[in-house]
Amino acid sequence: MMQGFTTRAIHGGLAEAEAHGALRVPVYDTVAFEQSDARSLQLAFEGRKPAHVYTRITNPTVREFEQKVRLLSGGLAVLAVSSGMAAISTTLLALAGAGTNIVTSRHLFGNTVSLLEKTLAPWGLEVRYVDMTDTAEVQQAMDGNTRALFLESITNPQLEVVDCARIAGIGAARNVPLVIDNTLMTPYLFDTARAGAAIELLSSTKYISGGATSLGGIIIDNGTFDWHHAPRLADSARKTGPMAFIASLRQAVHRDTGACLAPHNAYLQSLGLETMSLRINRSCANAMRLARYLAGHPRVLAVHYPGLPDSPFHAMARRQFGDRFGGILTFDLADRQSCFRLMDRLRLIRRATNINDNKTLILHPGSTIFAEYPEREQEAMGIRPTMLRLSAGIEDIDDILTDLEEALQTP
Ligand code: PLP
């Protein structure tokens, strides 16, 4: 019988025997690894002898973290990188290129939209935006040059939830991989492989690091896609079979762009992973309580949380995720000034940009993450000037509720 998620998170992952029997892989804060002779170094470089040669490509502490994630996600292969944005950019650079397109939604994390529009589009990548809740629109947007479908399992901060298995099916019918940014749910709450996604991406800066200790990103090849069908990876698939995607990242895109995870951050994130399930359970329970409280408050015009029965995404979220709906919710006040005033009155909840931290955090997306877009564009991206984003931490819920209650008392 397979051990439970938390048992695997705590005990799993030791990739190599530790010389002193340490229960935790130490931080190998070194750049290079020596071989005993020139031939061994050659073989290690060619990948014909299992060995670490240079930390930008592999490192024992990073490898242990990757193994832990692989064990927990059930993925085929895992690559850890320097941030969530590095996970997204590395993946798209490997799959697509000039003259090709990807199909996605405008309801995405703000920096992801910026990556697509401001950084990748000038290199010749066409980005086709659709309403991902409308599968016909997804189908129509695809053509022979579509290299990936991209979505977030719960979008940040619009909190949209789409039918991932249907989207994956549409892609599979045309040999196009579905890439899911599963940052808000993690493999603990949502199995993207079961939904048919080819690749899962995570910002491990969030729930995994826990306590916001370090930036990190993860790329998981779920092992559900035959890479012979991906034009940019067909060559690699002939040489490395099912490992083609991660192998080609290590031998080209990732190696060449250099967004590697620092060994010390891998150590912090392995540690975070051990307690992740406990923190997620608490954060989801707190988010549900906060959503219910805010929904009943006379000064709050609307609350968006997929866990609320009146959310348009509730049924889909329940079907895909079960009874936990993540730690992020948004709510609307009368206007932007009211949002700012509320933020300024809070004494426990922190005014900061991050999510899924141990601490409860609040932010006005329109004046921060999305500030570079004019209001009309923000609207198309699902951002309202009246909207606040709350990321539920793991504090005692009564203390968070008291802080909100006091801040909401005066208009
Ligand atoms: N994807 C999502 C859904 C996010 O919310 C974020 C950051 O908030 C990222 C990616 C980027 O992660 P990072 O800050 O680790 O680069």
Side-chain angles (χ1 to χ4, degrees), residues 82-88 108-112 150 152 154-157 181-184 201-206 214-217 353-356 369 389:
S82 58
S83 68
M85 290 316 301
I88 300 169
L108 292 173
F109 172 55
N111 290 171
T112 305
F150 181 90
E152 292 172 11
I154 295 186
T155 70
N156 173 21
D181 178 344
N182 198 26
T183 296
L184 270 65
L201 305 178
L202 297 162
S203 162
S204 51
T205 315
K206 318 294 178 190
S214 47
L215 280 152
T353 178
N354 189 21
I355 53 168
N356 300 333
I369 298 172
R389 183 186 74 185

PDB file of all heavy atoms in Angstrom, residues 82-88 108-112 150 152 154-157 181-184 201-206 214-217 353-356 369 389, ligand 1:
ATOM      1  N   SER A  82      14.806  28.379 -10.358  1.00  0.00           N
ATOM      2  CA  SER A  82      15.030  29.453  -9.394  1.00  0.00           C
ATOM      3  C   SER A  82      13.769  30.190  -8.929  1.00  0.00           C
ATOM      4  O   SER A  82      13.805  30.887  -7.926  1.00  0.00           O
ATOM      5  CB  SER A  82      15.992  30.474  -9.993  1.00  0.00           C
ATOM      6  OG  SER A  82      15.444  30.962 -11.199  1.00  0.00           O
ATOM      7  N   SER A  83      12.659  30.070  -9.649  1.00  0.00           N
ATOM      8  CA  SER A  83      11.415  30.756  -9.250  1.00  0.00           C
ATOM      9  C   SER A  83      10.253  30.175 -10.056  1.00  0.00           C
ATOM     10  O   SER A  83      10.471  29.439 -11.035  1.00  0.00           O
ATOM     11  CB  SER A  83      11.514  32.265  -9.536  1.00  0.00           C
ATOM     12  OG  SER A  83      11.538  32.487 -10.935  1.00  0.00           O
ATOM     13  N   GLY A  84       9.060  30.548  -9.652  1.00  0.00           N
ATOM     14  CA  GLY A  84       7.896  30.117 -10.423  1.00  0.00           C
ATOM     15  C   GLY A  84       7.939  30.664 -11.840  1.00  0.00           C
ATOM     16  O   GLY A  84       7.599  29.973 -12.805  1.00  0.00           O
ATOM     17  N   MET A  85       8.374  31.921 -11.980  1.00  0.00           N
ATOM     18  CA  MET A  85       8.458  32.511 -13.322  1.00  0.00           C
ATOM     19  C   MET A  85       9.483  31.758 -14.174  1.00  0.00           C
ATOM     20  O   MET A  85       9.291  31.590 -15.386  1.00  0.00           O
ATOM     21  CB  MET A  85       8.829  33.999 -13.250  1.00  0.00           C
ATOM     22  CG  MET A  85       7.750  34.915 -12.697  1.00  0.00           C
ATOM     23  SD  MET A  85       6.077  34.620 -13.315  1.00  0.00           S
ATOM     24  CE  MET A  85       6.283  34.860 -15.059  1.00  0.00           C
ATOM     25  N   ALA A  86      10.574  31.295 -13.548  1.00  0.00           N
ATOM     26  CA  ALA A  86      11.571  30.516 -14.296  1.00  0.00           C
ATOM     27  C   ALA A  86      10.958  29.195 -14.768  1.00  0.00           C
ATOM     28  O   ALA A  86      11.252  28.725 -15.871  1.00  0.00           O
ATOM     29  CB  ALA A  86      12.805  30.259 -13.433  1.00  0.00           C
ATOM     30  N   ALA A  87      10.096  28.608 -13.943  1.00  0.00           N
ATOM     31  CA  ALA A  87       9.449  27.347 -14.346  1.00  0.00           C
ATOM     32  C   ALA A  87       8.591  27.580 -15.594  1.00  0.00           C
ATOM     33  O   ALA A  87       8.613  26.791 -16.548  1.00  0.00           O
ATOM     34  CB  ALA A  87       8.602  26.805 -13.196  1.00  0.00           C
ATOM     35  N   ILE A  88       7.848  28.691 -15.597  1.00  0.00           N
ATOM     36  CA  ILE A  88       6.953  28.973 -16.727  1.00  0.00           C
ATOM     37  C   ILE A  88       7.777  29.322 -17.976  1.00  0.00           C
ATOM     38  O   ILE A  88       7.554  28.766 -19.061  1.00  0.00           O
ATOM     39  CB  ILE A  88       5.978  30.129 -16.387  1.00  0.00           C
ATOM     40  CG1 ILE A  88       5.129  29.750 -15.173  1.00  0.00           C
ATOM     41  CG2 ILE A  88       5.082  30.456 -17.578  1.00  0.00           C
ATOM     42  CD1 ILE A  88       4.321  30.902 -14.591  1.00  0.00           C
ATOM     43  N   LEU A 108      -4.842  35.172 -15.660  1.00  0.00           N
ATOM     44  CA  LEU A 108      -3.602  34.538 -15.218  1.00  0.00           C
ATOM     45  C   LEU A 108      -2.927  35.471 -14.230  1.00  0.00           C
ATOM     46  O   LEU A 108      -3.266  36.656 -14.139  1.00  0.00           O
ATOM     47  CB  LEU A 108      -2.643  34.352 -16.401  1.00  0.00           C
ATOM     48  CG  LEU A 108      -2.987  33.373 -17.514  1.00  0.00           C
ATOM     49  CD1 LEU A 108      -1.963  33.513 -18.629  1.00  0.00           C
ATOM     50  CD2 LEU A 108      -3.032  31.940 -17.012  1.00  0.00           C
ATOM     51  N   PHE A 109      -1.924  34.950 -13.552  1.00  0.00           N
ATOM     52  CA  PHE A 109      -1.060  35.779 -12.705  1.00  0.00           C
ATOM     53  C   PHE A 109      -0.460  36.895 -13.571  1.00  0.00           C
ATOM     54  O   PHE A 109      -0.033  36.645 -14.704  1.00  0.00           O
ATOM     55  CB  PHE A 109       0.026  34.882 -12.111  1.00  0.00           C
ATOM     56  CG  PHE A 109       1.086  35.624 -11.369  1.00  0.00           C
ATOM     57  CD1 PHE A 109       0.777  36.497 -10.329  1.00  0.00           C
ATOM     58  CD2 PHE A 109       2.419  35.459 -11.695  1.00  0.00           C
ATOM     59  CE1 PHE A 109       1.769  37.173  -9.639  1.00  0.00           C
ATOM     60  CE2 PHE A 109       3.423  36.126 -11.008  1.00  0.00           C
ATOM     61  CZ  PHE A 109       3.089  36.991  -9.980  1.00  0.00           C
ATOM     62  N   GLY A 110      -0.426  38.127 -13.042  1.00  0.00           N
ATOM     63  CA  GLY A 110      -0.022  39.301 -13.827  1.00  0.00           C
ATOM     64  C   GLY A 110       1.344  39.169 -14.490  1.00  0.00           C
ATOM     65  O   GLY A 110       1.524  39.540 -15.657  1.00  0.00           O
ATOM     66  N   ASN A 111       2.330  38.644 -13.772  1.00  0.00           N
ATOM     67  CA  ASN A 111       3.667  38.546 -14.359  1.00  0.00           C
ATOM     68  C   ASN A 111       3.705  37.506 -15.476  1.00  0.00           C
ATOM     69  O   ASN A 111       4.550  37.576 -16.371  1.00  0.00           O
ATOM     70  CB  ASN A 111       4.723  38.201 -13.302  1.00  0.00           C
ATOM     71  CG  ASN A 111       4.962  39.357 -12.337  1.00  0.00           C
ATOM     72  OD1 ASN A 111       5.652  39.199 -11.341  1.00  0.00           O
ATOM     73  ND2 ASN A 111       4.382  40.517 -12.595  1.00  0.00           N
ATOM     74  N   THR A 112       2.800  36.528 -15.423  1.00  0.00           N
ATOM     75  CA  THR A 112       2.747  35.533 -16.506  1.00  0.00           C
ATOM     76  C   THR A 112       2.241  36.204 -17.781  1.00  0.00           C
ATOM     77  O   THR A 112       2.782  35.971 -18.870  1.00  0.00           O
ATOM     78  CB  THR A 112       1.851  34.338 -16.110  1.00  0.00           C
ATOM     79  OG1 THR A 112       2.345  33.811 -14.885  1.00  0.00           O
ATOM     80  CG2 THR A 112       1.850  33.260 -17.173  1.00  0.00           C
ATOM     81  N   PHE A 150      -2.124  26.471 -22.021  1.00  0.00           N
ATOM     82  CA  PHE A 150      -1.596  26.862 -20.712  1.00  0.00           C
ATOM     83  C   PHE A 150      -2.708  27.420 -19.840  1.00  0.00           C
ATOM     84  O   PHE A 150      -3.488  28.264 -20.273  1.00  0.00           O
ATOM     85  CB  PHE A 150      -0.502  27.929 -20.894  1.00  0.00           C
ATOM     86  CG  PHE A 150       0.126  28.367 -19.596  1.00  0.00           C
ATOM     87  CD1 PHE A 150       1.238  27.705 -19.094  1.00  0.00           C
ATOM     88  CD2 PHE A 150      -0.388  29.426 -18.868  1.00  0.00           C
ATOM     89  CE1 PHE A 150       1.815  28.094 -17.881  1.00  0.00           C
ATOM     90  CE2 PHE A 150       0.178  29.824 -17.657  1.00  0.00           C
ATOM     91  CZ  PHE A 150       1.288  29.158 -17.170  1.00  0.00           C
ATOM     92  N   GLU A 152      -3.977  28.053 -15.321  1.00  0.00           N
ATOM     93  CA  GLU A 152      -3.722  27.919 -13.886  1.00  0.00           C
ATOM     94  C   GLU A 152      -4.868  27.117 -13.267  1.00  0.00           C
ATOM     95  O   GLU A 152      -6.031  27.366 -13.597  1.00  0.00           O
ATOM     96  CB  GLU A 152      -3.629  29.307 -13.219  1.00  0.00           C
ATOM     97  CG  GLU A 152      -2.405  30.090 -13.655  1.00  0.00           C
ATOM     98  CD  GLU A 152      -2.394  31.546 -13.160  1.00  0.00           C
ATOM     99  OE1 GLU A 152      -3.217  31.916 -12.305  1.00  0.00           O
ATOM    100  OE2 GLU A 152      -1.546  32.317 -13.656  1.00  0.00           O
ATOM    101  N   ILE A 154      -6.240  27.106 -10.255  1.00  0.00           N
ATOM    102  CA  ILE A 154      -7.132  28.187  -9.800  1.00  0.00           C
ATOM    103  C   ILE A 154      -6.394  29.452 -10.182  1.00  0.00           C
ATOM    104  O   ILE A 154      -5.219  29.612  -9.823  1.00  0.00           O
ATOM    105  CB  ILE A 154      -7.360  28.177  -8.274  1.00  0.00           C
ATOM    106  CG1 ILE A 154      -8.106  26.911  -7.839  1.00  0.00           C
ATOM    107  CG2 ILE A 154      -8.167  29.403  -7.855  1.00  0.00           C
ATOM    108  CD1 ILE A 154      -8.485  26.903  -6.351  1.00  0.00           C
ATOM    109  N   THR A 155      -7.022  30.333 -10.911  1.00  0.00           N
ATOM    110  CA  THR A 155      -6.268  31.481 -11.416  1.00  0.00           C
ATOM    111  C   THR A 155      -6.095  32.529 -10.318  1.00  0.00           C
ATOM    112  O   THR A 155      -6.967  32.708  -9.463  1.00  0.00           O
ATOM    113  CB  THR A 155      -6.944  32.112 -12.660  1.00  0.00           C
ATOM    114  OG1 THR A 155      -8.151  32.762 -12.242  1.00  0.00           O
ATOM    115  CG2 THR A 155      -7.262  31.069 -13.712  1.00  0.00           C
ATOM    116  N   ASN A 156      -4.939  33.180 -10.365  1.00  0.00           N
ATOM    117  CA  ASN A 156      -4.574  34.178  -9.361  1.00  0.00           C
ATOM    118  C   ASN A 156      -4.553  35.553 -10.001  1.00  0.00           C
ATOM    119  O   ASN A 156      -3.732  35.786 -10.884  1.00  0.00           O
ATOM    120  CB  ASN A 156      -3.184  33.851  -8.790  1.00  0.00           C
ATOM    121  CG  ASN A 156      -2.662  34.918  -7.862  1.00  0.00           C
ATOM    122  OD1 ASN A 156      -3.430  35.718  -7.325  1.00  0.00           O
ATOM    123  ND2 ASN A 156      -1.347  34.948  -7.669  1.00  0.00           N
ATOM    124  N   PRO A 157      -5.417  36.481  -9.595  1.00  0.00           N
ATOM    125  CA  PRO A 157      -6.342  36.423  -8.454  1.00  0.00           C
ATOM    126  C   PRO A 157      -7.816  36.292  -8.850  1.00  0.00           C
ATOM    127  O   PRO A 157      -8.682  36.549  -8.003  1.00  0.00           O
ATOM    128  CB  PRO A 157      -6.116  37.795  -7.820  1.00  0.00           C
ATOM    129  CG  PRO A 157      -5.952  38.700  -9.018  1.00  0.00           C
ATOM    130  CD  PRO A 157      -5.311  37.862 -10.100  1.00  0.00           C
ATOM    131  N   ASP A 181      -0.228  25.499 -14.438  1.00  0.00           N
ATOM    132  CA  ASP A 181       0.422  26.138 -13.303  1.00  0.00           C
ATOM    133  C   ASP A 181      -0.450  25.808 -12.091  1.00  0.00           C
ATOM    134  O   ASP A 181      -1.549  26.340 -11.928  1.00  0.00           O
ATOM    135  CB  ASP A 181       0.511  27.658 -13.542  1.00  0.00           C
ATOM    136  CG  ASP A 181       1.130  28.395 -12.360  1.00  0.00           C
ATOM    137  OD1 ASP A 181       1.209  27.812 -11.264  1.00  0.00           O
ATOM    138  OD2 ASP A 181       1.529  29.564 -12.544  1.00  0.00           O
ATOM    139  N   ASN A 182       0.065  24.883 -11.247  1.00  0.00           N
ATOM    140  CA  ASN A 182      -0.732  24.362 -10.124  1.00  0.00           C
ATOM    141  C   ASN A 182      -0.316  24.990  -8.793  1.00  0.00           C
ATOM    142  O   ASN A 182      -0.477  24.384  -7.739  1.00  0.00           O
ATOM    143  CB  ASN A 182      -0.543  22.828 -10.077  1.00  0.00           C
ATOM    144  CG  ASN A 182      -1.613  22.116  -9.275  1.00  0.00           C
ATOM    145  OD1 ASN A 182      -2.733  22.611  -9.130  1.00  0.00           O
ATOM    146  ND2 ASN A 182      -1.275  20.954  -8.739  1.00  0.00           N
ATOM    147  N   THR A 183       0.228  26.201  -8.872  1.00  0.00           N
ATOM    148  CA  THR A 183       0.771  26.861  -7.686  1.00  0.00           C
ATOM    149  C   THR A 183      -0.252  26.971  -6.552  1.00  0.00           C
ATOM    150  O   THR A 183       0.066  26.709  -5.393  1.00  0.00           O
ATOM    151  CB  THR A 183       1.281  28.271  -8.063  1.00  0.00           C
ATOM    152  OG1 THR A 183       2.373  28.120  -8.975  1.00  0.00           O
ATOM    153  CG2 THR A 183       1.748  29.055  -6.856  1.00  0.00           C
ATOM    154  N   LEU A 184      -1.496  27.364  -6.871  1.00  0.00           N
ATOM    155  CA  LEU A 184      -2.459  27.607  -5.798  1.00  0.00           C
ATOM    156  C   LEU A 184      -2.974  26.322  -5.146  1.00  0.00           C
ATOM    157  O   LEU A 184      -3.516  26.362  -4.049  1.00  0.00           O
ATOM    158  CB  LEU A 184      -3.653  28.447  -6.308  1.00  0.00           C
ATOM    159  CG  LEU A 184      -3.464  29.964  -6.162  1.00  0.00           C
ATOM    160  CD1 LEU A 184      -2.346  30.481  -7.019  1.00  0.00           C
ATOM    161  CD2 LEU A 184      -4.745  30.724  -6.427  1.00  0.00           C
ATOM    162  N   LEU A 201       3.465  22.919 -13.381  1.00  0.00           N
ATOM    163  CA  LEU A 201       4.434  23.909 -12.922  1.00  0.00           C
ATOM    164  C   LEU A 201       4.005  24.426 -11.551  1.00  0.00           C
ATOM    165  O   LEU A 201       2.806  24.527 -11.263  1.00  0.00           O
ATOM    166  CB  LEU A 201       4.486  25.101 -13.890  1.00  0.00           C
ATOM    167  CG  LEU A 201       4.766  24.758 -15.352  1.00  0.00           C
ATOM    168  CD1 LEU A 201       4.733  26.021 -16.202  1.00  0.00           C
ATOM    169  CD2 LEU A 201       6.114  24.054 -15.487  1.00  0.00           C
ATOM    170  N   LEU A 202       5.000  24.731 -10.728  1.00  0.00           N
ATOM    171  CA  LEU A 202       4.701  25.268  -9.403  1.00  0.00           C
ATOM    172  C   LEU A 202       5.652  26.409  -9.083  1.00  0.00           C
ATOM    173  O   LEU A 202       6.835  26.326  -9.420  1.00  0.00           O
ATOM    174  CB  LEU A 202       4.914  24.191  -8.327  1.00  0.00           C
ATOM    175  CG  LEU A 202       4.033  22.947  -8.395  1.00  0.00           C
ATOM    176  CD1 LEU A 202       4.647  21.828  -7.583  1.00  0.00           C
ATOM    177  CD2 LEU A 202       2.637  23.270  -7.896  1.00  0.00           C
ATOM    178  N   SER A 203       5.122  27.434  -8.427  1.00  0.00           N
ATOM    179  CA  SER A 203       6.013  28.375  -7.758  1.00  0.00           C
ATOM    180  C   SER A 203       6.182  27.788  -6.363  1.00  0.00           C
ATOM    181  O   SER A 203       5.249  27.826  -5.552  1.00  0.00           O
ATOM    182  CB  SER A 203       5.393  29.772  -7.693  1.00  0.00           C
ATOM    183  OG  SER A 203       6.077  30.520  -6.701  1.00  0.00           O
ATOM    184  N   SER A 204       7.367  27.238  -6.075  1.00  0.00           N
ATOM    185  CA  SER A 204       7.577  26.626  -4.754  1.00  0.00           C
ATOM    186  C   SER A 204       7.875  27.691  -3.703  1.00  0.00           C
ATOM    187  O   SER A 204       8.062  27.395  -2.528  1.00  0.00           O
ATOM    188  CB  SER A 204       8.688  25.574  -4.817  1.00  0.00           C
ATOM    189  OG  SER A 204       9.844  26.099  -5.417  1.00  0.00           O
ATOM    190  N   THR A 205       7.902  28.956  -4.160  1.00  0.00           N
ATOM    191  CA  THR A 205       8.001  30.102  -3.267  1.00  0.00           C
ATOM    192  C   THR A 205       6.823  30.136  -2.295  1.00  0.00           C
ATOM    193  O   THR A 205       6.935  30.698  -1.209  1.00  0.00           O
ATOM    194  CB  THR A 205       7.932  31.396  -4.125  1.00  0.00           C
ATOM    195  OG1 THR A 205       8.786  31.248  -5.255  1.00  0.00           O
ATOM    196  CG2 THR A 205       8.288  32.626  -3.345  1.00  0.00           C
ATOM    197  N   LYS A 206       5.713  29.547  -2.691  1.00  0.00           N
ATOM    198  CA  LYS A 206       4.452  29.736  -1.960  1.00  0.00           C
ATOM    199  C   LYS A 206       4.254  28.640  -0.905  1.00  0.00           C
ATOM    200  O   LYS A 206       5.003  28.586   0.048  1.00  0.00           O
ATOM    201  CB  LYS A 206       3.292  29.790  -2.951  1.00  0.00           C
ATOM    202  CG  LYS A 206       3.571  30.608  -4.205  1.00  0.00           C
ATOM    203  CD  LYS A 206       3.760  32.074  -3.927  1.00  0.00           C
ATOM    204  CE  LYS A 206       4.076  32.800  -5.225  1.00  0.00           C
ATOM    205  NZ  LYS A 206       4.503  34.159  -5.040  1.00  0.00           N
ATOM    206  N   SER A 214      12.090  31.419   0.734  1.00  0.00           N
ATOM    207  CA  SER A 214      12.963  31.370  -0.445  1.00  0.00           C
ATOM    208  C   SER A 214      12.146  31.268  -1.725  1.00  0.00           C
ATOM    209  O   SER A 214      11.044  30.710  -1.736  1.00  0.00           O
ATOM    210  CB  SER A 214      13.864  30.138  -0.343  1.00  0.00           C
ATOM    211  OG  SER A 214      13.088  29.013   0.018  1.00  0.00           O
ATOM    212  N   LEU A 215      12.726  31.785  -2.790  1.00  0.00           N
ATOM    213  CA  LEU A 215      12.089  31.654  -4.106  1.00  0.00           C
ATOM    214  C   LEU A 215      12.453  30.306  -4.721  1.00  0.00           C
ATOM    215  O   LEU A 215      13.555  29.798  -4.524  1.00  0.00           O
ATOM    216  CB  LEU A 215      12.585  32.748  -5.039  1.00  0.00           C
ATOM    217  CG  LEU A 215      11.926  34.105  -4.842  1.00  0.00           C
ATOM    218  CD1 LEU A 215      12.866  35.209  -5.252  1.00  0.00           C
ATOM    219  CD2 LEU A 215      10.637  34.202  -5.633  1.00  0.00           C
ATOM    220  N   GLY A 216      11.528  29.751  -5.501  1.00  0.00           N
ATOM    221  CA  GLY A 216      11.823  28.497  -6.194  1.00  0.00           C
ATOM    222  C   GLY A 216      10.718  28.163  -7.172  1.00  0.00           C
ATOM    223  O   GLY A 216       9.602  28.700  -7.084  1.00  0.00           O
ATOM    224  N   GLY A 217      11.026  27.304  -8.116  1.00  0.00           N
ATOM    225  CA  GLY A 217      10.028  26.859  -9.080  1.00  0.00           C
ATOM    226  C   GLY A 217      10.246  25.401  -9.414  1.00  0.00           C
ATOM    227  O   GLY A 217      11.368  24.886  -9.273  1.00  0.00           O
ATOM    228  N   THR A 353       2.962  41.565  -1.066  1.00  0.00           N
ATOM    229  CA  THR A 353       2.677  40.747  -2.238  1.00  0.00           C
ATOM    230  C   THR A 353       3.346  39.393  -2.107  1.00  0.00           C
ATOM    231  O   THR A 353       4.541  39.277  -2.184  1.00  0.00           O
ATOM    232  CB  THR A 353       3.135  41.444  -3.547  1.00  0.00           C
ATOM    233  OG1 THR A 353       2.847  40.548  -4.636  1.00  0.00           O
ATOM    234  CG2 THR A 353       4.633  41.749  -3.558  1.00  0.00           C
ATOM    235  N   ASN A 354       2.586  38.413  -1.854  1.00  0.00           N
ATOM    236  CA  ASN A 354       2.995  37.011  -1.854  1.00  0.00           C
ATOM    237  C   ASN A 354       1.710  36.266  -1.564  1.00  0.00           C
ATOM    238  O   ASN A 354       0.700  36.880  -1.184  1.00  0.00           O
ATOM    239  CB  ASN A 354       4.057  36.726  -0.777  1.00  0.00           C
ATOM    240  CG  ASN A 354       4.645  35.317  -0.923  1.00  0.00           C
ATOM    241  OD1 ASN A 354       4.573  34.717  -2.006  1.00  0.00           O
ATOM    242  ND2 ASN A 354       5.214  34.786   0.143  1.00  0.00           N
ATOM    243  N   ILE A 355       1.724  34.973  -1.753  1.00  0.00           N
ATOM    244  CA  ILE A 355       0.534  34.187  -1.405  1.00  0.00           C
ATOM    245  C   ILE A 355       0.977  32.918  -0.697  1.00  0.00           C
ATOM    246  O   ILE A 355       2.135  32.510  -0.789  1.00  0.00           O
ATOM    247  CB  ILE A 355      -0.333  33.822  -2.634  1.00  0.00           C
ATOM    248  CG1 ILE A 355       0.519  33.153  -3.724  1.00  0.00           C
ATOM    249  CG2 ILE A 355      -1.075  35.021  -3.158  1.00  0.00           C
ATOM    250  CD1 ILE A 355      -0.286  32.511  -4.827  1.00  0.00           C
ATOM    251  N   ASN A 356       0.023  32.303  -0.016  1.00  0.00           N
ATOM    252  CA  ASN A 356       0.243  31.005   0.637  1.00  0.00           C
ATOM    253  C   ASN A 356       1.455  31.020   1.557  1.00  0.00           C
ATOM    254  O   ASN A 356       2.207  30.057   1.642  1.00  0.00           O
ATOM    255  CB  ASN A 356       0.343  29.888  -0.408  1.00  0.00           C
ATOM    256  CG  ASN A 356      -0.915  29.785  -1.242  1.00  0.00           C
ATOM    257  OD1 ASN A 356      -1.994  30.151  -0.776  1.00  0.00           O
ATOM    258  ND2 ASN A 356      -0.804  29.310  -2.451  1.00  0.00           N
ATOM    259  N   ILE A 369       0.346  44.504  -8.558  1.00  0.00           N
ATOM    260  CA  ILE A 369       0.779  43.519  -9.572  1.00  0.00           C
ATOM    261  C   ILE A 369       0.311  43.906 -10.975  1.00  0.00           C
ATOM    262  O   ILE A 369       1.009  43.691 -11.959  1.00  0.00           O
ATOM    263  CB  ILE A 369       0.253  42.104  -9.207  1.00  0.00           C
ATOM    264  CG1 ILE A 369       0.852  41.668  -7.868  1.00  0.00           C
ATOM    265  CG2 ILE A 369       0.590  41.086 -10.294  1.00  0.00           C
ATOM    266  CD1 ILE A 369       0.277  40.395  -7.316  1.00  0.00           C
ATOM    267  N   ARG A 389      -7.214  41.261  -2.518  1.00  0.00           N
ATOM    268  CA  ARG A 389      -6.887  39.821  -2.455  1.00  0.00           C
ATOM    269  C   ARG A 389      -6.370  39.499  -1.055  1.00  0.00           C
ATOM    270  O   ARG A 389      -5.496  40.181  -0.546  1.00  0.00           O
ATOM    271  CB  ARG A 389      -5.808  39.475  -3.485  1.00  0.00           C
ATOM    272  CG  ARG A 389      -5.483  37.987  -3.503  1.00  0.00           C
ATOM    273  CD  ARG A 389      -4.319  37.676  -4.413  1.00  0.00           C
ATOM    274  NE  ARG A 389      -3.040  38.092  -3.848  1.00  0.00           N
ATOM    275  CZ  ARG A 389      -1.873  38.027  -4.492  1.00  0.00           C
ATOM    276  NH1 ARG A 389      -1.830  37.570  -5.717  1.00  0.00           N
ATOM    277  NH2 ARG A 389      -0.752  38.418  -3.909  1.00  0.00           N
TER     278      ARG A 389
HETATM  279  N1  PLP B   1       2.316  31.428 -10.855  1.00  0.00           N
HETATM  280  C1  PLP B   1       1.395  31.878  -9.966  1.00  0.00           C
HETATM  281  C2  PLP B   1       0.004  31.374 -10.069  1.00  0.00           C
HETATM  282  C3  PLP B   1       1.753  32.821  -9.008  1.00  0.00           C
HETATM  283  O1  PLP B   1       0.835  33.275  -8.155  1.00  0.00           O
HETATM  284  C4  PLP B   1       3.090  33.286  -8.967  1.00  0.00           C
HETATM  285  C5  PLP B   1       3.513  34.301  -7.974  1.00  0.00           C
HETATM  286  O2  PLP B   1       2.732  34.837  -7.235  1.00  0.00           O
HETATM  287  C6  PLP B   1       4.003  32.793  -9.896  1.00  0.00           C
HETATM  288  C7  PLP B   1       3.585  31.863 -10.825  1.00  0.00           C
HETATM  289  C8  PLP B   1       5.428  33.283  -9.926  1.00  0.00           C
HETATM  290  O3  PLP B   1       6.159  32.699  -8.880  1.00  0.00           O
HETATM  291  P1  PLP B   1       7.558  33.297  -8.379  1.00  0.00           P
HETATM  292  O4  PLP B   1       7.250  34.539  -7.638  1.00  0.00           O
HETATM  293  O5  PLP B   1       8.105  32.181  -7.529  1.00  0.00           O
HETATM  294  O6  PLP B   1       8.387  33.551  -9.591  1.00  0.00           O
END
